Amino acid sequence: MQYEKSFQLGPYQVFIDEHLVVLNGEKVASQPKVMELLQVLVQRYPEVVSRNELIEGVWHGNEIIGEKALTNTIWQLRQLFAHPSAPLDVVETIRKKGYKLTLTPEPLSLSPKTTQSEPFVVKPSYMYQVVFGLACIMMVFVAWSLLKIPIEASAQSVSQMDEITKMPGSELRPSPSPDGKQLAFIWQQGQDSQLYLKDLTHPNVPITQLTFSDKRPWKAVWSPDQQYLYFAQKNSQACEIVRLSLADLEQLVLTSCPTDSGYNYIAISPDGKTLAFNGKAPLASQDGIYLLDLSQDDATPERLSCDTECDLRDRDVAFSPDGQYLAITQRKSTSEERLSLYDLGKRQFQILDSSHADIVGMSFHPNGQYLVYGAQAADKRRGYIVDLETKVQTKLIPRGFSYPHFDDSGNLYYQKRRENYFIASFALDSEVMSMPSPLIESHYSNQYPSLSRAHEKLAFLSNESGHYELWLANLDGTGREQITQLHRNLRYPSWSLQGDKLLVVSSDEADGHDKLYVFDYGSRQLRRLDLSFGKIGRPFWHGNGQDIVIRQSTNEGWQLFRLNVETMALSALLTKTARSGQYISEHELLFVNGKGLWIKQGEKQALLIAKAQFNTRYAWLATQEKVFYKHLGNKYNYIHAYDLKSKTTEKLLRLPKSSFSKAAPFAFDKQAQALLFTQSLTPQSDINRLTIKN
């Protein structure tokens, strides 16, 4: 079959080498083995392929691994083609014979005028065969949104969307040159991230790698003369702001930046004389926005942000085209980030918006009247336009919108990213080696499992309603039921030891204080605990099944406190600092601090696993027999099991770093001997361009 690497199954477009399925422009990433299995079925269509033949073709005849994995992979393959808008039963099970495709694979139709060859490797350009179709479908929608960004009084005749990159891995944080002829971006492949340059005038010319460091670059900005790129790059030991010469790729370190900040934003003034970046001076209490005079060789960065007794934490920054203003995002809490306009002359802030939890990139239109930004809520990203004169805000049509950046002609580049989480189950008592299989998976994100054996119910969070609300399901994933309809993003569901009550945290609160909700399974009543203790970390039930343990910041560091839910009184739980914990019986507590995992039995406290081995804060679960935890490796992450009796550790599973959450805890089904945890589809991110033709 000539088109076995890219083909059509019903309304779905399939790209084997990219591990990708596309439906109406929506991309769904797949595991490699799923695509290998599909490829074998396509090659043999319309024949029935036996289980042994599939194990031979996909798992190279390894029956120990392949027998169990085949069943899981067939299930995952069916889920790929189960979108609610176009469910397709793609694989038929032929009893005692094997499997076969139910539809004829068809070749993708393409027009030579709309095809682009992939610039970074010599191979067929099948990924670009969908460009023309997608452009036609989205033309009307994109035109509608773009007409809200006037360039001048003249009317726009044609508006369009172009897919600029579509490579394996993720292309992140685009930065077009001022003249719009080149594009700097981050290309992340697995754990490797480097800065690249693409010639937009000659799309078939191979892209150029600009950095070759173990330090991961963030977002780059151009000097006005287009001779230099400025960006932050860091690893676990150092973070630095550098200037990269495009002539010889020589780097000049300008200053340092914080290694413990999750984001390293940067911006440059229109005259190229001032660099604004997210930094942290040695004596500063927290990171913030600094200004660096690039015209002075020995200049010291000057802090713009508040430093002591601050209600807000400045993060992202962008210069207005006239250089008189800065757009700054200011994080108030995990549930609120403000978008503000700062007048550099008057040194005054003006709030533009405070309705978002997480702002992901922003850029001024060249005419200075409009500011475009991306915002994320419940793992869904959208774009917005603010008219700075009228303060009217409009939502953009494209989904997955983040990190926008205009060139001088008003072409808007942005990162299109899709993230999806599901709850996976890993069998511990399998006679053969196996991989995790999806337990609760859909086209929405489902995460943070917590299990009640008393009622045989699994609690989890789902963003199906537009917010992360609390849901329940049977232990096999069936019978899903939405419990809360609070229209806010909840966090960290946790059953009591007895399994009769369930707590969940709300951080989307106007007063900035986390609140608790307690769900009583027997009475089906939901009770709100109106706390006033600020941020409380990840609360968990006390061993008595009545009180709740929360985290508070003290002079000594993070500490755990016992909260009496009737009187709202707090009492210190430990003499040591701690970030998180879990009771395994009424009087046995396990907790984590900077030295590792500890156990408290009565008044005795002992270190179980040192930090070198137990290097996670939250991705762990304790039973009375074992502690399951995620170990962060250099190239992979592992799931380990520590036996509390023998004090030995067993490696259970190795997975790619991006495939399961470093912060989400586990749940354990003792009867089924299965470990449940949050796993993610490999996130796919591409760069698109919105263009207005005058």
Side-chain angles (χ1 to χ4, degrees):
M1 184 176 293
Q2 299 295 319
Y3 47 89
E4 62 193 32
K5 291 297 186 71
S6 58
F7 50 86
Q8 191 104 14
L9 282 176
Y12 294 86
Q13 294 169 317
V14 181
F15 303 94
I16 295 292
D17 285 350
E18 260 68 15
H19 309 147
L20 200 66
V21 170
V22 179
L23 176 66
N24 298 330
E26 181 180 349
K27 296 181 294 184
V28 179
S30 170
Q31 299 295 330
K33 289 298 182 186
V34 177
M35 284 300 175
E36 289 182 38
L37 178 68
L38 178 58
Q39 187 175 12
V40 173
L41 294 174
V42 169
Q43 290 170 339
R44 296 282 300 276
Y45 180 82
E47 301 175 25
V48 176
V49 187
S50 71
R51 291 181 65 89
N52 288 339
E53 288 174 315
L54 288 172
I55 292 172
E56 178 66 35
V58 179
W59 289 275
H60 310 293
N62 190 332
E63 295 184 5
I64 295 178
I65 297 176
E67 185 63 36
K68 178 66 178 291
L70 175 58
T71 302
N72 293 337
T73 307
I74 288 288
W75 187 90
Q76 293 179 54
L77 177 60
R78 286 173 168 145
Q79 296 306 302
L80 264 184
F81 298 89
H83 193 285
S85 66
L88 185 65
D89 189 6
V90 70
V91 180
E92 181 182 359
T93 301
I94 308 299
R95 183 174 175 80
K96 295 185 179 181
K97 290 186 177 182
Y99 303 92
K100 64 173 290 187
L101 286 181
T102 59
L103 284 90
T104 303
E106 301 287 349
L108 292 174
S109 60
L110 70 149
S111 168
K113 293 183 180 180
T114 60
T115 308
Q116 299 179 14
S117 57
E118 189 61 75
F120 60 93
V121 65
V122 180
K123 63 180 180 180
S125 57
Y126 45 81
M127 281 301 292
Y128 287 89
Q129 296 168 359
V130 299
V131 172
F132 181 72
L134 290 174
C136 291
I137 294 172
M138 296 190 66
M139 190 74 72
V140 174
F141 298 99
V142 174
W144 182 87
S145 64
L146 286 174
L147 288 174
K148 297 181 178 297
I149 314 177
I151 294 180
E152 296 292 344
S154 59
Q156 299 85 17
S157 58
V158 180
S159 301
Q160 70 179 51
M161 183 199 73
D162 298 305
E163 292 177 312
I164 302 303
T165 68
K166 189 182 282 188
M167 306 175 190
S170 293
E171 303 90 72
L172 310 171
R173 298 180 284 279
S175 181
S177 59
D179 63 10
K181 295 181 179 180
Q182 300 181 88
L183 179 72
F185 64 95
I186 308 300
W187 186 15
Q188 180 177 316
Q189 304 174 82
Q191 297 306 305
D192 184 53
S193 293
Q194 302 294 341
L195 182 64
Y196 286 80
L197 189 67
K198 181 179 176 65
D199 187 338
L200 297 173
T201 63
H202 299 89
N204 294 332
V205 173
I207 62 176
T208 302
Q209 186 172 346
L210 301 179
T211 60
F212 304 84
S213 172
D214 65 338
K215 297 183 177 72
R216 298 165 67 96
W218 187 244
K219 178 182 173 67
V221 292
W222 292 78
S223 63
D225 60 11
Q226 302 184 177
Q227 295 185 37
Y228 301 102
L229 286 170
Y230 296 87
F231 55 92
Q233 59 181 12
K234 69 179 179 181
N235 55 23
S236 58
Q237 286 78 41
C239 180
E240 53 198 23
I241 304 295
V242 300
R243 185 189 72 184
L244 174 74
S245 170
L246 292 174
D248 54 15
L249 301 188
E250 181 180 350
Q251 290 190 14
L252 175 66
V253 177
L254 302 176
T255 186
S256 62
C257 47
T259 59
D260 57 352
S261 175
Y263 304 92
N264 295 100
Y265 295 104
I266 195 169
I268 193 169
S269 60
D271 60 9
K273 295 181 179 180
T274 304
L275 198 68
F277 65 94
N278 183 274
K280 184 179 180 183
L283 299 180
S285 62
Q286 62 180 5
D287 58 355
I289 303 300
Y290 287 77
L291 301 180
L292 179 63
D293 187 347
L294 297 176
S295 64
Q296 302 292 327
D297 293 337
D298 57 349
T300 300
E302 296 183 4
R303 187 177 180 96
L304 176 70
S305 301
C306 167
D307 186 34
T308 58
E309 299 182 359
C310 308
D311 295 329
L312 304 169
R313 181 180 180 183
D314 296 346
R315 297 209 310 164
D316 197 1
V317 60
F319 277 96
S320 64
D322 60 10
Q324 296 182 24
Y325 297 91
L326 287 174
I328 297 178
T329 63
Q330 300 176 296
R331 174 61 61 87
K332 182 178 181 182
S333 67
T334 55
S335 61
E336 181 181 340
E337 186 166 8
R338 291 180 181 175
L339 177 63
S340 298
L341 199 63
Y342 181 75
D343 189 315
L344 288 165
K346 298 179 181 179
R347 296 181 176 270
Q348 294 179 346
F349 279 100
Q350 178 186 7
I351 298 175
L352 298 177
D353 186 275
S354 59
S355 63
H356 300 292
D358 188 12
I359 296 175
V360 283
M362 57 187 174
S363 181
F364 281 92
H365 188 275
N367 67 10
Q369 183 179 344
Y370 299 91
L371 181 69
V372 173
Y373 66 96
Q376 177 175 260
D379 292 321
K380 297 179 180 179
R381 301 187 179 199
R382 297 297 300 266
Y384 299 85
I385 305 168
V386 179
D387 186 319
L388 299 177
E389 293 182 359
T390 65
K391 304 302 183 293
V392 173
Q393 181 174 263
T394 306
K395 184 183 293 185
L396 282 169
I397 293 296
R399 301 277 182 171
F401 184 98
S402 59
Y403 297 104
H405 202 126
F406 282 102
D407 64 19
D408 285 352
S409 298
N411 298 313
L412 179 61
Y413 296 77
Y414 68 95
Q415 171 186 314
K416 183 179 180 181
R417 184 178 179 92
R418 180 181 183 271
E419 298 181 44
N420 189 271
Y421 300 93
F422 62 93
I423 296 173
S425 173
F426 177 60
L428 300 179
D429 63 347
S430 175
E431 295 180 356
V432 298
M433 187 180 300
S434 64
M435 292 293 289
S437 60
L439 178 66
I440 297 180
E441 184 183 34
S442 67
H443 288 274
Y444 304 98
S445 284
N446 306 281
Q447 55 181 327
Y448 285 101
S450 182
L451 187 144
S452 168
R453 174 50 64 184
H455 296 291
E456 296 192 346
K457 289 293 182 181
L458 184 69
F460 63 98
L461 301 178
S462 175
N463 66 355
E464 186 170 336
S465 66
H467 296 84
Y468 273 116
E469 300 274 8
L470 180 64
W471 290 63
L472 291 181
N474 299 325
L475 298 186
D476 62 358
T478 62
R480 298 191 317 125
E481 174 190 9
Q482 184 174 344
I483 298 301
T484 64
Q485 296 183 16
L486 301 173
H487 304 291
R488 60 190 66 197
N489 293 311
L490 304 178
R491 298 168 181 241
Y492 322 131
S494 176
W495 286 100
S496 62
L497 270 177
Q498 296 76 14
D500 57 343
K501 288 182 289 188
L502 180 65
L503 68 81
V504 70
V505 180
S506 169
S507 294
D508 292 359
E509 300 293 337
D511 62 3
H513 296 280
D514 287 352
K515 311 300 180 186
L516 281 174
Y517 287 86
V518 176
F519 176 71
D520 186 296
Y521 186 83
S523 66
R524 310 288 291 184
Q525 296 296 310
L526 184 70
R527 176 187 176 189
R528 174 183 166 99
L529 302 182
D530 197 10
L531 307 184
S532 299
F533 302 118
K535 297 303 171 184
I536 61 175
R538 303 192 180 205
F540 57 96
W541 288 96
H542 191 276
N544 63 15
Q546 301 298 321
D547 298 334
I548 295 172
V549 180
I550 67 173
R551 189 183 72 192
Q552 294 283 274
S553 177
T554 69
N555 293 334
E556 289 75 27
W558 294 113
Q559 290 190 316
L560 299 180
F561 288 82
R562 177 175 172 176
L563 171 69
N564 184 309
V565 297
E566 300 302 329
T567 66
M568 295 297 172
L570 290 181
S571 58
L573 192 64
L574 299 166
T575 58
K576 296 182 181 295
T577 59
R579 296 189 71 99
S580 64
Q582 182 200 332
Y583 276 91
I584 58 175
S585 70
E586 185 173 357
H587 302 293
E588 290 180 292
L589 168 68
L590 277 74
F591 64 93
V592 177
N593 64 16
K595 293 184 178 181
L597 179 69
W598 296 73
I599 187 168
K600 180 179 184 293
Q601 296 170 305
E603 298 302 318
K604 296 180 180 180
Q605 301 180 75
L607 182 65
L608 287 178
I609 313 175
K611 184 180 179 181
Q613 289 301 314
F614 195 90
N615 55 9
T616 182
R617 294 174 178 173
Y618 307 111
W620 62 281
L621 172 81
T623 70
Q624 291 186 332
E625 294 82 24
K626 293 184 178 181
V627 179
F628 302 98
Y629 65 96
K630 178 177 180 180
H631 177 75
L632 312 178
N634 292 327
K635 294 184 178 180
Y636 297 93
N637 287 330
Y638 303 84
I639 296 179
H640 289 182
Y642 176 83
D643 191 295
L644 289 170
K645 184 176 181 180
S646 66
K647 303 189 184 308
T648 57
T649 300
E650 176 188 4
K651 289 184 179 180
L652 299 178
L653 184 64
R654 185 187 78 176
L655 288 173
K657 279 199 168 186
S658 60
S659 66
F660 70 118
S661 172
K662 67 180 181 181
F666 298 107
F668 180 61
D669 187 341
K670 185 175 182 178
Q671 182 171 319
Q673 284 296 296
L675 195 63
L676 312 181
F677 56 91
T678 301
Q679 195 169 359
S680 62
L681 294 174
T682 302
Q684 179 70 29
S685 178
D686 301 312
I687 295 171
N688 289 356
R689 177 179 62 201
L690 301 180
T691 304
I692 300 176
K693 295 183 179 180
N694 293 319

